[in-house]
Amino acid sequence: MKNKTSFLPREGEAQPSRCPDNSAFKQQRLPAWKPQLTIASVLSSFFLTGAFCLAVGVCLVVSANSVREIQVDYSDKCSDCSKLRENSSNWNKECHCSVNFTLKEDILGDVFMYYGLQNFYQNHRRYVISRSDAQLLGRNVNIQRSYCTPFSTYRNGTPMAPCGAIANSMFNDTIDLFYSRNSSVVQVPLLKTGNSWWTDKNVKFRNPESYNLSSAFAGTARPPYWQKPAYLLDEEDERNNGYVNDDFIIWMRVSAFATFRNLYRRLRRVRHFAEGLPAGNYTFRISYNFPVTRFKGRKHVILSTVVWSGGSNPFLGIAYLVSGTAATLTGFVITGIHLKLRKKKTYFQKQ
């Protein structure tokens, strides 16, 4: 065992210096800019910031108010179908309902259809993590080791595709729009693809590789609450099936609030609807599949336009207005304090 005194410096040896190196950085001699806060610079910064925020806030609020939007709640109007869906044994029985409404003025431009849910909490921790990102990328993974439980496998061991509580609770109402024109009924053409983000379609979601989609999902089963397997979500477009289905991708992007809306369809601007939706009588024909009574929820359909600032949400504009008002009032308060102190200083100098 070494002697502890062996670590001490011997007589005659120079002790190591603990001072930092004599450099500009370590001795804090680098050139620096130190602002001189004068009353003119402080007041100008507050008033300019307030004017900028107020101007941006007014533009955002005016833009949000120019959005044309109509919202139709069909929770009560489809009460018979809702009662049918409360019994899980009726999952294979179809139920349809219709909701009529009238547009008093034309809705010009691009029109978007959203479905909205109220009192549906997607922000629960167990719900948010109940998915397998590796499976959604088309990889062959053991989902029993994922967070999908209890929606991972059936009792016989067959894995679910896709797995997890988010996928299992996917919104599956079918909504069609019809227009009454000259005593005839015309179905409004709607686009079901092109509604998701490019990164979702090409990076986050991919189908398993196989010569056809049905064989790619061989050995798996649909989630319990689904009526169709993943490879038959869109029977009209083979490219909109499986994990790259637009409705599925949009649903997997969970909401932070209990009341939210998701993009469902876009108006295809052809024939009678080249300029948008003309004024007149319309009908929503809904295939009711998504029950909401047990958690006291509501369902509605929204037809809306968009502007350069987005949808009809005025929150950002109001936030700018509040910030601009606060900055302007602070500038006036500082001005008043400065004038009061300057008068006192002038008074004492005369004395």
Side-chain angles (χ1 to χ4, degrees), residues 4 47 70 96 138 154 160 171 182-183 189-190 200 207 211 225 236 241 260 273 304 322 324 338 344 347 350:
K4 294 182 179 180
F47 284 120
I70 181 172
H96 302 273
Y154 286 92
M160 298 180 189
F171 183 86
N182 298 330
S183 68
L190 300 173
D200 288 337
N207 283 325
Y211 62 92
Y225 291 169
E236 299 177 358
N241 273 312
F260 61 92
F273 311 98
S304 176
V322 172
H338 170 68
K344 288 185 177 181
Y347 173 78
K350 290 181 179 180

Side-chain angles (χ1 to χ4, degrees), residues 244-261:
V244 296
N245 177 265
D246 274 46
D247 293 337
F248 173 71
I249 290 175
I250 293 173
W251 177 259
M252 294 299 290
R253 193 186 308 131
V254 296
S255 173
F257 303 99
T259 299
F260 61 92
R261 63 176 65 178

Side-chain angles (χ1 to χ4, degrees), residues 61-289:
V61 170
V62 171
S63 176
N65 291 335
S66 65
V67 173
R68 293 290 310 279
E69 180 176 300
I70 181 172
Q71 180 172 316
V72 178
D73 191 316
Y74 65 94
S75 303
D76 297 330
K77 297 179 181 180
C78 298
S79 57
D80 294 338
C81 293
S82 178
K83 294 178 182 178
L84 180 69
R85 284 288 173 258
E86 288 304 316
N87 190 349
S88 60
S89 62
N90 298 324
W91 67 270
N92 58 345
K93 295 181 181 180
E94 295 185 358
C95 188
H96 302 273
C97 60
S98 299
V99 180
N100 301 320
F101 67 98
T102 302
L103 285 182
K104 298 181 179 180
E105 297 179 357
D106 297 344
I107 300 181
L108 303 178
D110 295 328
V111 182
F112 299 83
M113 179 189 291
Y114 302 83
Y115 63 86
L117 289 176
Q118 184 177 346
N119 206 36
F120 188 91
Y121 290 85
Q122 287 189 312
N123 54 6
H124 192 280
R125 178 180 175 275
R126 290 283 300 274
Y127 182 88
V128 171
I129 65 175
S130 184
R131 58 187 292 165
S132 174
D133 292 323
Q135 184 193 49
L136 297 177
L137 284 171
R139 300 173 183 171
N140 187 12
V141 295
N142 184 7
I143 60 175
Q144 291 183 346
R145 298 181 180 179
S146 65
Y147 294 104
C148 290
T149 306
F151 301 102
S152 56
T153 59
Y154 286 92
R155 292 182 179 179
N156 58 2
T158 305
M160 298 180 189
C163 70
I166 307 177
N168 183 60
S169 61
M170 176 181 168
F171 183 86
N172 56 352
D173 282 0
T174 302
I175 307 172
D176 295 317
L177 181 60
F178 292 86
Y179 171 55
S180 299
R181 180 177 180 272
N182 298 330
S183 68
S184 62
V185 178
V186 179
Q187 183 171 3
V188 179
L190 300 173
L191 297 172
K192 61 176 68 175
T193 57
N195 300 326
S196 59
W197 298 345
W198 183 91
T199 52
D200 288 337
K201 201 87 171 181
N202 296 274
V203 179
K204 296 182 180 179
F205 295 85
R206 295 176 185 173
N207 283 325
E209 295 182 0
S210 182
Y211 62 92
N212 62 39
L213 203 55
S214 59
S215 62
F217 285 89
T220 64
R222 58 176 176 79
Y225 291 169
W226 284 29
Q227 296 176 326
K228 299 178 182 179
Y231 55 87
L232 292 178
L233 288 177
D234 188 354
E235 298 181 7
E236 299 177 358
D237 189 355
E238 295 182 356
R239 297 171 298 176
N240 191 36
N241 273 312
Y243 300 145
V244 296
N245 177 265
D246 274 46
D247 293 337
F248 173 71
I249 290 175
I250 293 173
W251 177 259
M252 294 299 290
R253 193 186 308 131
V254 296
S255 173
F257 303 99
T259 299
F260 61 92
R261 63 176 65 178
N262 285 335
L263 181 60
Y264 183 67
R265 297 290 183 264
R266 292 180 294 121
L267 175 66
R268 185 181 179 187
R269 298 173 62 177
V270 295
R271 299 192 299 276
H272 313 300
F273 311 98
E275 301 297 328
L277 288 179
N281 297 321
Y282 289 83
T283 301
F284 282 124
R285 292 185 182 175
I286 303 165
S287 176
Y288 199 104
N289 299 305

Side-chain angles (χ1 to χ4, degrees), residues 25-58:
F25 177 76
K26 292 186 177 181
Q27 295 296 334
Q28 299 183 9
R29 295 195 301 266
L30 291 175
W33 175 72
K34 184 178 181 180
Q36 299 294 331
L37 297 178
T38 62
I39 187 63
S41 61
V42 171
L43 289 179
S44 61
S45 63
F46 272 102
F47 284 120
L48 288 176
T49 302
F52 172 78
C53 291
L54 288 174
V56 174
V58 170

